Amino acid sequence: MSKQVLIIGGSYFTGRVFAMTAAREAGYSLTLVNRGTYSMGHLPNVREVCCDRHDYAGLADLPAARYDAVVDFCAYHPGDVTGLLAALPGRFDRYILLSTANVYSREVSGSKDEVAPLLTRQLSGPEGEYMYHKMLLEGEARAACAQRGAALTILRPVFIYGPYNYAPRESYFVEKIVKDQPIPVPVDADTRFQFVYVKDVANAIIACVERQQAAEAVYNLSAPEVMTYRRYLEVLAQVSGRAFATREVTVAQVEREGIPLPFPLTAAEDELYSGEKIVRELGLAYTPFERGMERAWEAFKGVYEPRR
């Protein structure tokens, strides 16, 4: 019997790829609740409900079904989880929250695993608010799931990349390559960062739906490769097969000129994570970065190449 899964969000990037994978490959029956910006109705066994997550009256009108899991891609602010789970009719066995690896304390050095301490205060700026709110939502989810008698699984991904990514990350570089524009290279950047391929996130969620071991578990989603700007551009050159121009800049110049480089620049922002727990416990296999970037290149280059 196919799994019944309720998806909150599910039409933009990570949720979109999960819905495609769950419907086509896992054979799940999906109910997608989102604002209807992009339709996923072409997928098999998918029911779409146009409803904002904060429209609690609209959520209460959903069929009182029994779901194997609720997967939440768009909880961002305190109260989002409590309000949603209180409004949902019917029953669900598991709630899967997409959090972020950035919930960990900045006072911890080295590669962080799932038992590392979390943030205790809000850092400055919009990103600091985002991180702190995600940390608060994890605690909120524990209390709300306990009240509903449902198990909780928390996933903490690092930078997610791949086809359909609407964040200007890999697409920023692909556009410059296709349009023969020089790519700024921060020569004094001394930070490192990690990625996880979007299809790996989708497969991780499916593993969490399928496996009882994932109940009440927390998993980082982080492929083992550690990247720098220079290594990132080396991979882009490899997968694109193109020689592209670069322009050396300093970190101070990036900040002064507002150059929209998408990844951290300084050692103070250096945050690394271990994604091995989900490999050991659920058998997730991470896509090698070169292979994932090859697929991302193929997906994005057509957006910027002139039509013939």
Side-chain angles (χ1 to χ4, degrees):
M1 185 175 180
S2 70
K3 297 287 187 181
Q4 304 289 322
V5 176
L6 175 64
I7 301 176
I8 310 301
S11 65
Y12 271 42
F13 174 36
T14 310
R16 182 187 187 95
V17 174
F18 169 69
M20 294 164 63
T21 305
R24 292 173 176 166
E25 299 179 22
Y28 289 179
S29 294
L30 306 176
T31 300
L32 274 66
V33 176
N34 54 50
R35 290 176 290 184
T37 305
Y38 299 105
S39 175
M40 301 294 286
H42 62 284
L43 296 174
N45 300 315
V46 168
R47 176 175 181 262
E48 293 185 297
V49 178
C50 186
C51 179
D52 188 279
R53 69 174 298 134
H54 301 111
D55 179 3
Y56 300 134
L59 291 172
D61 287 337
L62 288 170
R66 172 71 178 265
Y67 295 104
D68 294 283
V70 175
V71 184
D72 194 344
F73 289 94
C74 56
Y76 299 119
H77 303 289
D80 279 357
V81 174
T82 301
L84 172 77
L85 298 191
L88 288 179
R91 296 184 60 190
F92 54 92
D93 296 330
R94 186 168 306 173
Y95 173 73
I96 300 175
L97 174 67
L98 270 291
S99 184
T100 173
N102 285 319
V103 296
Y104 293 107
S105 170
R106 292 303 185 269
E107 279 78 41
V108 179
S109 60
S111 181
K112 300 177 177 65
D113 62 15
E114 290 80 357
V115 299
L118 304 184
L119 292 167
T120 57
R121 60 184 178 85
Q122 182 171 317
L123 304 178
S124 62
E127 289 188 4
E129 180 181 85
Y130 169 81
M131 300 169 190
Y132 191 67
H133 283 181
K134 282 290 191 180
M135 185 277 296
L136 294 176
L137 283 166
E138 290 189 10
E140 186 177 301
R142 289 188 178 89
C145 285
Q147 187 173 2
R148 289 292 301 257
L152 171 65
T153 303
I154 296 172
L155 297 177
R156 296 171 177 163
V158 292
F159 286 116
I160 305 173
Y161 74 102
Y164 303 109
N165 190 0
Y166 58 87
R169 291 175 184 156
E170 55 267 38
S171 62
Y172 171 82
F173 299 99
V174 172
E175 180 179 11
K176 288 190 175 297
I177 293 172
V178 170
K179 294 182 177 180
D180 292 322
Q181 299 172 350
I183 294 177
V185 180
V187 293
D188 56 342
D190 55 0
T191 190
R192 300 167 296 169
F193 37 90
Q194 289 166 284
F195 294 92
V196 60
Y197 186 55
V198 64
K199 183 69 178 295
D200 297 346
V201 179
N203 289 335
I205 298 169
I206 289 171
C208 291
V209 173
E210 297 281 346
R211 300 281 295 278
Q212 183 58 32
Q213 192 171 3
E216 305 302 336
V218 177
Y219 296 109
N220 291 341
L221 298 180
S222 177
E225 297 101 331
V226 176
M227 305 300 295
T228 63
Y229 270 99
R230 288 197 178 276
R231 177 57 186 152
Y232 186 88
L233 293 180
E234 287 173 1
V235 173
L236 262 178
Q238 174 185 328
V239 303
S240 69
R242 303 190 186 189
F244 50 82
T246 60
R247 176 171 68 96
E248 291 189 348
V249 295
T250 64
V251 170
Q253 190 176 352
V254 170
E255 295 172 347
R256 184 173 63 251
E257 297 179 11
I259 300 172
L261 290 175
F263 307 122
L265 293 166
T266 66
E269 303 169 280
D270 195 307
E271 299 291 333
L272 299 180
Y273 308 91
S274 169
E276 287 300 308
K277 180 183 176 184
I278 196 167
V279 175
R280 293 193 310 270
E281 294 189 359
L282 304 185
L284 181 69
Y286 288 112
T287 299
F289 187 68
E290 290 85 351
R291 189 182 307 164
M293 280 300 293
E294 183 176 8
R295 295 168 183 168
W297 164 260
E298 291 297 328
F300 285 112
K301 72 173 182 177
V303 175
Y304 303 109
E305 286 180 332
R307 295 184 179 182
R308 297 177 180 176

